[in-house]
Amino acid sequence: MKLFACLNDAENSEIWGRSVNQSDFFFFSGYYVLFAVLFALGFFFHFLIISFLFPFPFFSVKETPAYTLPYSIRVLFESSVRNCDGFLVKEADAMNILDWKTKQSHVEVPFCPARVVLQDFTGIPAMVDFAAMREAVRNAGGDPVKVNPACPTDLTVDHSLQIDFSKCAIQNAPNPGGGEQKPLARLSPLKPPLRKPPPCRGQSGGQSGCRGSCGAGEAGRSSGAFSAQIENTPILCPFHLRPVPEPETVLKNQEMEFGRNRERLQFFKWSSKVFENISIIPPETGMAHQVNLEYLSRVVFDVKDLLHPDSVVGTDSHTTMVNGLGILGWGVGGIEAEAVMLGMPLSLPLPHVVGCELTGTANPLATSIDIVLSVTKHLRQADVAGKFVEFFGSGVSQLSVADRTTIANMCPEYGAILSFFPVDNVTLKHLKHAGFDKAKLEVTEAYLKTVKLFRSDESSSREPEYSQVVQVSLDSIIPYVSGPKRSQDRVAVNNMKSDFQACLNEKSGVKGFQVAAEKQNDTVPVQYEGNEYKLSHGCVVIAAVISCTNNCNPSVMLAAGLLAKKAVEAGLAVKPYIRTSLSPGSGMVTHYLSSSGVLPYLSKLGFEVVGYGCSTCVGNTAPLPEAIRNAIKQGEIIACGVLSGTKNFEGRLCDCVRANYLASPPLVVAYAIAGTVRIDFDSEPLGTGFNGKSIYLRDIWPTRQELHTVEEECVISSMFRELKEKMEKGNKRWNLLEAPESTLFPWDLKSTYIRCPSFFDKLVTAAPAAVENAHVLLFLGDSVTTDHISPAGSIARSSAAAKYLSSKGLTPREFNSYGARRGNDAVMTRGTFANIKLLNKFIGKPAPKTVHFPSGQTLDVFEAAELYQKEGIPVIILAGKKYGLGSSRDWAAKGPFLLGVKAVLAESYEKVHRSQLIGIGIAPLQFRPGENPTTLGLTGREQFSIMFPPDLSPRMTLDVKTSTGKVFSVIALFENSMEITLYKNGGSLNFVARRFL
């Protein structure tokens, strides 16, 4: 290999005795690797002489200056050099990356990330596949013990939490243990539990760092005495998981989580025992991307005295959060993640890199969420889909790491692969704050500067060259929300009232609800807890401060807490029927909310801690009170949910809540207090406080100085240390959980959670089979999301999955969610296209239904697909633009495969989903530019035949014939020969499994 050398300043020469051996694969040719073991400070000048006498034949430093490459591309280059084996990663790959300026988007390059992160919804099917692969290898005569992850993998059990208990009432909780279920007493924010609370885990479990009493004292209910009493509330122990205001709520939710998910958790624990290179982070710890940021991130890996950059891919779409810390990472599907776990590189087109220049200073009222939504708008307009985004400019240094991670976390919503903030002095200060010891920080800084991965704030430093530059002025950013149905539809807060009015007027669509003018001011009276309320269009019924984007950023979470404090002190309250919740991503968030003194005020307004994990975000919201649901349906009210997350698809939160808005945590609290989104905060009060005084948002909005002061006092390095200690020790429930230790998993044929899938039944290679006389299973429109294809929320009682579970003797209370049952292919296949908001053109209205054309019956999608398979008829899917939008979800590809889908014909695809289809063996076909089913006159009732030639090549044009005689051409969206190889092998899982034979 002929790679460039970089000579360093004399001030860096002191680190060469160690770091050259750690980074030689980054800057030195194979020729110099021979000298690496001798490379110490005393040999430095020898190297200069040899370099002078034996110059590189292909290029020199002057011809290819390293500093012109974007920082993210430098990480790709380092990985290609370090992992070059001449087979999976070749010398030419490294040379192509180095020649990025001319080769971008023209070549495919491999990338071997340093590690993999899984969350349990996508992690359990991955681990089930590994267990099934062991079974298949054993059956084929191989050694199943060899089937292990080759890449370090961390799996966080974080998506199984559901809100069974909350502020409003103890809900009609599931009773998985059977028997008579006694009604539970209502919990109130200030009323202590009737039973004596257990001792702090800091006392009983050896947990250190308890900062105060964990008991809740008596507290009255009078508003006049409330402030004085709340000031004397003991500080919450950071990790005893019992918030003072309602100590039973978290424990009850966790008990339900362990009860309903016991089989899954036992499987995870078995995986942690028998598989090498895998670690399981148990429930009650935190969100996958949060844990990834706070605990798993290394920034620089140090393995056997070899330093290299940290990088990661994860099955959570918000893995991109770590890019705010200078760690290259993005979300992939479970199929790709499994391939990486088995030692295969990811293959990606050498990406365009969009430089996003940030200038100016944000408005004091603008939060990180406002900045995110503004950047989202600019980058969507710049068409960054499938590209890297890299931030630079004077404004970058004004953003904290928390701000950066919030921006990077949102990047899937504007379509980029990742959004990268190179490591700089701000990052180093954060790492010191987070508990990195001095020696590690010094090595990290020296290494990153040596290999040109450190961004300098000096004005004289040269910025890299980018494919294009997008400029965003922070000065122009004002508070926004996003909705009512899509995250990219921003609405300025001061225009919210008029925009919602426009949504009522517009025809049904991505924004409109088409409410008749004479009904737009209708109100529906409802009795709730002895009081009468009136619901109207725009009323808020769900308000959730959840974990997806905000808890890593203390400023926005503390802003919500300080706003709550000021609101309570002013005499404001939240109507009791509004389903409010606070779901932090980790105990660290609870810690600083508690130690800052704002947690009791949040609870007073209903935002109590309900647990640690995905809840409202993935549709695990507790049902609304029946009286409220009935009133909404009776009056056809456009009710609203407001949440501080990233997903607001229609029907995701609740089937009767049609408008959902994404907002910053303080605005979530503000809208909950107002009780409606039809409010102009500038001219209308939030409510009436003490003595009948009107209270406006500006009266209780915390200033930046207040936030800065509280953040400095409360967000301290000890929180990071305590979080790590908690994660390393686990918890009592997990530690006592029993699990088998056999090499092969003992499948329980009666289990409804874990089942051996059929993906490895045929480990053979074959030419692509023709698709002949296929019927269209579904005829879909634009922006079909992975949530439409494979929902993650609750299982509807009338669905095919519900019928299956009922046949196994389960009651509706025991159904759990689709996400929790991803280890059972029988449930997930029946749940494919089971979203209640799926719009199939054959049906004409939202419903998980389709037409079985041979019989003319309208059936559940699964039932129709099952009939087609019994008849030996292949099926395809017709779709519009951006098919597979949203979270990467492997079952969005696995499910259609098991339904018998052979190909998808769409106008365009979300990149990750396209690769997932190939990875499971489904052909992604694209209509030619300007063509679609409408222009081609397709009704979807025809039968389709597609021929795949033996010499299939990337982006080859194929002919499609219909039963009506029409012939048209489509593009086979295989981007490289590797994807074609995977498709011929029946997908990546089968391809990798054969390597063990």
Side-chain angles (χ1 to χ4, degrees):
M1 295 171 59
K2 289 85 177 175
L3 304 176
F4 68 90
C6 176
L7 304 183
N8 296 272
D9 298 333
E11 64 184 11
N12 290 329
S13 63
E14 63 191 52
I15 67 166
W16 278 99
R18 181 178 180 220
S19 69
V20 168
N21 187 41
Q22 298 150 347
S23 58
D24 49 5
F25 283 100
F26 187 14
F27 286 113
F28 295 94
S29 70
Y31 178 83
Y32 291 113
V33 173
L34 298 175
F35 297 90
V37 294
L38 304 175
F39 206 97
L41 185 60
F43 293 91
F44 181 71
F45 293 104
H46 293 336
F47 171 73
L48 295 181
I49 296 171
I50 294 171
S51 296
F52 177 77
L53 294 175
F54 299 95
F56 297 119
F58 287 130
F59 52 86
S60 66
V61 176
K62 290 183 179 179
E63 293 169 333
T64 310
Y67 54 74
T68 64
L69 289 175
Y71 291 93
S72 52
I73 298 300
R74 299 179 201 183
V75 178
L76 293 183
F77 176 62
E78 187 278 338
S79 173
S80 69
V81 177
R82 179 166 40 87
N83 292 286
C84 184
D85 61 1
F87 176 58
L88 292 174
V89 183
K90 301 176 182 178
E91 177 182 332
D93 296 320
M95 301 297 288
N96 284 335
I97 297 174
L98 194 58
D99 194 19
W100 166 82
K101 189 173 181 180
T102 58
K103 295 291 182 66
Q104 54 185 300
S105 80
H106 297 305
V107 296
E108 289 277 329
V109 296
F111 176 56
C112 298
R115 54 191 177 91
V116 175
V117 171
L118 307 173
Q119 45 95 330
D120 61 315
F121 271 15
T122 47
I124 195 163
M127 298 315 301
V128 167
D129 286 346
F130 265 75
M133 197 180 299
R134 279 197 166 192
E135 199 89 26
V137 168
R138 191 277 307 270
N139 294 339
D143 183 1
V145 177
K146 293 182 178 179
V147 180
N148 290 294
C151 183
T153 302
D154 300 286
L155 191 155
T156 304
V157 186
D158 67 335
H159 273 53
S160 55
L161 175 70
Q162 296 186 35
I163 304 176
D164 297 295
F165 308 106
S166 67
K167 174 267 302 187
C168 294
I170 296 294
Q171 303 303 321
N172 293 323
N175 186 21
E180 182 181 358
Q181 190 173 21
K182 298 180 180 180
L184 295 168
R186 170 183 169 80
L187 298 178
S188 61
L190 292 176
K191 187 175 181 179
L194 296 178
R195 60 185 177 86
K196 183 179 180 180
C200 167
R201 294 186 183 183
Q203 301 163 1
S204 61
Q207 187 75 1
S208 64
C210 182
R211 298 180 176 276
S213 170
C214 297
E218 291 290 338
R221 279 191 169 275
S222 67
S223 57
F226 180 73
S227 294
Q229 294 164 349
I230 214 166
E231 293 294 339
N232 296 322
T233 301
I235 293 178
L236 176 69
C237 169
F239 302 115
H240 78 323
L241 304 182
R242 288 176 57 88
V244 170
E246 294 200 51
E248 290 188 274
T249 307
V250 171
L251 287 180
K252 288 183 178 295
N253 280 318
Q254 290 167 357
E255 288 168 6
M256 294 302 304
E257 178 183 2
F258 264 82
R260 65 162 62 93
N261 293 290
R262 187 175 184 82
E263 285 184 51
R264 298 171 65 246
L265 297 178
Q266 286 177 322
F267 176 77
F268 281 137
K269 195 154 189 179
W270 170 80
S271 299
S272 69
K273 291 181 177 181
V274 303
F275 287 114
E276 298 176 2
N277 237 355
I278 181 85
S279 64
I280 306 293
I281 297 170
E284 305 179 18
T285 303
M287 295 294 300
H289 43 276
Q290 187 73 22
V291 171
N292 187 20
L293 182 72
E294 296 174 5
Y295 178 69
L296 302 176
S297 294
R298 281 81 154 178
V299 183
V300 172
F301 257 84
D302 186 347
V303 182
K304 298 180 180 179
D305 283 337
L306 174 67
L307 298 183
H308 61 84
D310 190 1
S311 57
V312 62
V313 292
T315 55
D316 189 288
S317 60
H318 298 289
T319 304
T320 54
M321 177 185 282
V322 298
N323 288 278
L325 202 58
I327 298 171
L328 198 72
W330 65 91
V332 297
I335 298 168
E336 297 95 331
E338 290 176 52
V340 173
M341 290 164 68
L342 285 168
M344 293 186 65
L346 286 175
S347 181
L348 72 158
L350 188 58
H352 286 277
V353 181
V354 178
C356 185
E357 183 178 15
L358 301 181
T359 60
T361 305
N363 184 295
L365 294 181
T367 68
S368 297
I369 302 302
D370 300 316
I371 296 173
V372 166
L373 295 176
S374 179
V375 170
T376 297
K377 175 186 176 183
H378 283 86
L379 293 180
R380 276 198 175 274
Q381 291 175 341
D383 187 20
V384 297
K387 302 175 184 178
F388 284 8
V389 174
E390 192 167 294
F391 292 86
F392 72 102
S394 59
V396 174
S397 298
Q398 298 183 38
L399 299 179
S400 67
V401 166
D403 292 330
R404 299 176 188 191
T405 54
T406 308
I407 293 171
N409 191 36
M410 196 73 170
C411 99
E413 272 59 48
Y414 44 80
I417 298 175
L418 56 86
S419 294
F420 191 69
F421 288 84
V423 175
D424 60 8
N425 288 322
V426 175
T427 316
L428 293 179
K429 289 179 182 178
H430 171 83
L431 295 178
K432 181 179 180 181
H433 187 69
F436 273 46
D437 60 58
K438 183 179 180 181
K440 182 175 176 62
L441 275 175
E442 289 176 351
V443 170
T444 298
E445 181 178 2
Y447 169 75
L448 292 174
K449 287 182 176 179
T450 300
V451 297
K452 302 294 187 277
L453 285 173
F454 188 87
R455 177 184 175 273
S456 174
D457 295 328
E458 296 176 4
S459 58
S460 60
S461 63
R462 180 173 175 179
E463 298 288 0
E465 296 179 2
Y466 296 106
S467 307
Q468 68 184 94
V469 173
V470 177
Q471 293 182 326
V472 178
S473 172
L474 302 181
D475 294 324
S476 63
I477 296 175
I478 60 175
Y480 284 91
V481 296
S482 185
K485 302 178 185 180
R486 304 188 306 179
S487 59
Q488 64 263 38
D489 295 328
R490 292 195 317 161
V491 183
V493 172
N494 55 12
N495 293 332
M496 182 63 169
K497 184 175 183 179
S498 59
D499 187 82
F500 186 80
Q501 183 64 42
C503 291
L504 295 180
N505 291 325
E506 285 186 28
K507 292 182 179 179
S508 295
V510 295
K511 288 205 68 171
F513 297 106
Q514 199 169 357
V515 177
E518 63 273 14
K519 294 186 177 182
Q520 291 180 7
N521 293 316
D522 287 356
T523 61
V524 178
V526 58
Q527 291 288 330
Y528 185 73
E529 294 187 343
N531 295 312
E532 182 175 289
Y533 302 93
K534 292 184 178 181
L535 302 184
S536 59
H537 297 298
C539 62
V540 174
V541 294
I542 295 176
V545 176
I546 61 178
S547 53
C548 271
T549 61
N550 319 300
N551 46 66
C552 67
N553 193 331
S555 65
V556 290
M557 296 296 283
L558 287 172
L562 289 175
L563 187 142
K565 180 176 185 293
K566 291 186 174 186
V568 170
E569 291 172 342
L572 298 177
V574 174
K575 294 180 177 64
Y577 62 78
I578 298 176
R579 181 69 74 232
T580 49
S581 61
L582 170 61
S583 180
S586 74
M588 189 193 80
V589 182
T590 304
H591 186 170
Y592 66 66
L593 289 177
S594 177
S595 60
S596 63
V598 300
L599 191 61
Y601 295 94
L602 283 164
S603 185
K604 174 64 175 176
L605 294 181
F607 294 94
E608 52 139 6
V609 177
V610 295
Y612 299 85
C614 267
S615 49
T616 309
C617 184
V618 291
N620 288 344
T621 308
L624 294 176
E626 186 175 357
I628 303 301
R629 290 174 60 90
N630 292 339
I632 292 173
K633 292 179 179 179
Q634 172 192 337
E636 298 182 345
I637 296 296
I638 308 299
C640 298
V642 186
L643 62 155
S644 58
T646 62
K647 301 292 191 301
N648 60 334
F649 305 131
E650 185 176 4
R652 187 181 179 100
L653 270 62
C654 179
D655 59 0
C656 65
V657 180
R658 298 179 59 189
N660 299 304
Y661 288 92
L662 308 181
S664 65
L667 282 177
V668 171
V669 177
Y671 278 114
I673 294 170
T676 180
V677 299
R678 298 174 81 177
I679 181 174
D680 182 346
F681 286 133
D682 288 337
S683 60
E684 298 178 67
L686 290 173
T688 303
F690 297 129
N691 304 321
K693 181 182 178 181
S694 293
I695 308 297
Y696 293 83
L697 180 60
R698 57 180 174 269
D699 298 328
I700 61 173
W701 191 270
T703 66
R704 281 190 176 274
Q705 184 58 45
E706 287 174 313
L707 286 172
H708 179 75
T709 301
V710 174
E711 189 172 347
E712 287 294 318
E713 292 176 355
C714 302
V715 185
I716 54 177
S717 59
S718 65
M719 296 188 301
F720 291 91
R721 292 195 297 269
E722 289 165 352
L723 174 64
K724 291 176 182 179
E725 184 178 352
K726 173 178 181 283
M727 293 171 65
E728 290 162 359
K729 287 186 176 181
N731 59 71
K732 185 176 181 180
R733 290 187 185 89
W734 174 261
N735 294 340
L736 294 177
L737 189 67
E738 296 181 355
E741 298 184 13
S742 54
T743 300
L744 299 177
F745 185 71
W747 305 100
D748 181 358
L749 298 180
K750 295 180 181 180
S751 174
T752 58
Y753 277 101
I754 308 295
R755 207 174 88 136
C756 187
S758 58
F759 300 124
F760 304 101
D761 288 352
K762 297 179 181 179
L763 295 179
V764 296
T765 305
V771 179
E772 297 182 351
N773 299 317
H775 272 294
V776 176
L777 181 63
L778 292 160
F779 190 0
L780 306 171
D782 296 340
S783 300
V784 173
T785 70
T786 51
D787 208 56
H788 287 116
I789 304 170
S790 183
S794 59
I795 299 173
R797 297 189 180 191
S798 60
S799 66
K803 296 173 186 176
Y804 168 81
L805 293 173
S806 296
S807 72
K808 298 295 182 180
L810 273 64
T811 65
R813 288 186 176 185
E814 299 169 306
F815 286 172
N816 210 327
S817 66
Y818 285 115
R821 292 193 178 274
R822 284 181 178 169
N824 186 326
D825 61 302
V827 173
M828 298 309 296
T829 306
R830 287 165 172 79
T832 303
F833 296 110
N835 191 302
I836 59 173
K837 296 300 179 181
L838 180 74
L839 184 57
N840 179 7
K841 294 182 180 181
F842 294 148
I843 304 301
K845 62 180 181 179
K849 302 283 184 180
T850 195
V851 176
H852 176 254
F853 289 108
S855 66
Q857 300 178 79
T858 297
L859 303 169
D860 286 338
V861 175
F862 171 79
E863 294 171 345
E866 191 176 37
L867 278 180
Y868 280 126
Q869 288 184 315
K870 288 180 179 178
E871 296 161 349
I873 301 174
V875 293
I876 63 172
I877 291 171
L878 292 181
K881 300 173 183 176
K882 297 181 180 179
Y883 181 77
L885 194 69
S887 304
S888 60
R889 193 165 292 172
D890 61 329
W891 269 110
K894 290 179 177 178
F897 174 81
L898 294 178
L899 289 178
V901 174
K902 304 299 181 184
V904 177
L905 277 68
E907 290 184 68
S908 64
Y909 294 83
E910 188 77 358
K911 175 181 172 56
V912 171
H913 187 64
R914 180 200 65 83
S915 63
Q916 287 179 331
L917 292 175
I918 295 171
I920 200 62
I922 296 176
L925 307 178
Q926 182 172 288
F927 292 105
R928 293 188 301 185
E931 293 184 349
N932 57 47
T934 302
T935 62
L936 294 170
L938 303 177
T939 65
R941 298 176 180 272
E942 308 91 341
Q943 287 183 271
F944 294 75
S945 295
I946 310 165
M947 299 300 294
F948 292 90
D951 58 344
L952 184 64
S953 61
R955 301 189 72 86
M956 176 179 277
T957 299
L958 306 178
D959 288 335
V960 180
K961 299 179 181 179
T962 71
S963 55
T964 61
K966 181 181 292 293
V967 179
F968 60 95
S969 297
V970 294
I971 302 168
L973 283 189
F974 301 101
E975 299 294 348
N976 52 62
S977 58
M978 187 61 180
E979 289 188 345
I980 293 173
T981 300
L982 294 179
Y983 178 68
K984 289 181 177 180
N985 279 268
S988 59
L989 297 182
N990 282 275
F991 176 77
V992 173
R994 290 188 194 95
R995 296 177 62 196
F996 293 107
L997 300 177

